[in-house]
Amino acid sequence: MRQSYVSSMVSCFRLLFGQLTLLLPDALLIVLTSLLFFSFIYINGLHVMFTLAEAEFQAVLRDLLTQTPHLVQVAVTLLIALAINVFVGLTLVAARLEMVKGAIAKKPLSFLTAYRKSRALLGRLFGVKFLITLLYVFVGLVFIGVFFRFFGSDLSNPSTPALVFLFIALGIFLILKLLFLFVYPHLVYQKNGVLATLRTTCSYAFLHK
């Protein structure tokens, strides 16, 4: 019997929250992201925002971003933080996929074992993540361009049509998110290339509505 898309989502969440060890990679990613964020804030002197008034903080921020050495430092540290987060994040996602695969097969894997087995996935995982990110960026830029073209740049008092447009944009991003929800399981089980994985993921979503 064919399982609906919603039933598949429920089954996945039930599996994850039924075996909390499967959430370990996500917990580690949250910790890493938090550490990188606060390190970026501290290194670039932005931690003062926690103690200064809004006007004073804006003045400090303006000074930081209008001086070339500080601006270069902000850009470099941001790129380093993003690179670390993406690489380690994809590694943790790959490990989680191997742990889920083991749980489904009734052969639970430890995190370290899953990590060692997951390294073969990293190339295709990066390719899938890169293409999906490009799609999100393209769609986002289109919506931003259309919004500013027809509704202007003043967001302090948006009109009703502008609000409707924003809700439509959010709805489309939600649809895209749901469309690619099972892209990683397809990557693991079908062992296809990047483009073939994206095609089969979309086909699965349409066939199991």
Side-chain angles (χ1 to χ4, degrees):
M1 181 177 178
R2 178 181 293 175
Q3 192 176 29
S4 71
Y5 206 72
V6 174
S7 297
S8 297
M9 290 171 56
V10 172
S11 298
C12 289
F13 284 116
R14 189 174 294 158
L15 175 65
L16 286 173
F17 290 99
Q19 301 186 44
L20 294 180
T21 54
L22 299 178
L23 298 176
L24 177 60
D26 298 277
L28 291 175
L29 181 58
I30 291 172
V31 171
L32 172 69
T33 303
S34 300
L35 288 174
L36 288 173
F37 172 75
F38 286 111
S39 297
F40 171 79
I41 292 293
Y42 183 79
I43 290 171
N44 292 290
L46 300 177
H47 57 285
V48 295
M49 70 180 179
F50 298 113
T51 57
L52 295 178
E54 183 179 353
E56 294 173 319
F57 172 70
Q58 289 178 353
V60 172
L61 184 62
R62 194 179 303 112
D63 289 340
L64 285 173
L65 297 181
T66 52
Q67 298 179 34
T68 302
H70 286 154
L71 187 58
V72 171
Q73 177 179 305
V74 169
V76 170
T77 52
L78 179 60
L79 288 175
I80 292 173
L82 288 175
I84 294 173
N85 190 256
V86 168
F87 177 75
V88 178
L90 288 178
T91 302
L92 292 172
V93 167
R96 186 190 65 200
L97 291 173
E98 288 293 345
M99 292 174 71
V100 170
K101 184 179 178 181
I104 292 173
K106 307 298 182 184
K107 297 178 181 178
L109 299 176
S110 69
F111 174 73
L112 291 178
T113 302
Y115 166 73
R116 286 193 292 267
K117 292 186 65 175
S118 68
R119 284 179 289 185
L121 287 174
L122 284 178
R124 290 184 298 138
L125 192 61
F126 176 80
V128 166
K129 186 73 173 178
F130 178 73
L131 290 181
I132 292 177
T133 301
L134 279 184
L135 176 63
Y136 286 156
V137 170
F138 173 75
V139 173
L141 290 175
V142 169
F143 274 113
I144 290 172
V146 171
F147 184 88
F148 285 118
R149 172 67 177 81
F150 291 99
F151 302 109
S153 58
D154 184 13
L155 299 178
S156 59
N157 188 25
S159 63
T160 300
L163 291 175
V164 171
F165 179 82
L166 289 175
F167 277 114
I168 291 173
L170 289 174
I172 290 177
F173 273 105
L174 178 60
I175 290 171
L176 287 175
K177 188 69 177 178
L178 291 174
L179 181 64
F180 294 113
L181 185 63
F182 295 110
V183 67
Y184 294 149
H186 279 91
L187 187 73
V188 172
Y189 280 101
Q190 298 192 358
K191 302 185 186 303
N192 291 327
V194 172
L195 293 178
T197 298
L198 293 176
R199 283 197 300 269
T200 55
T201 302
C202 293
S203 298
Y204 178 83
F206 287 114
L207 291 173
H208 293 77
K209 292 183 290 184

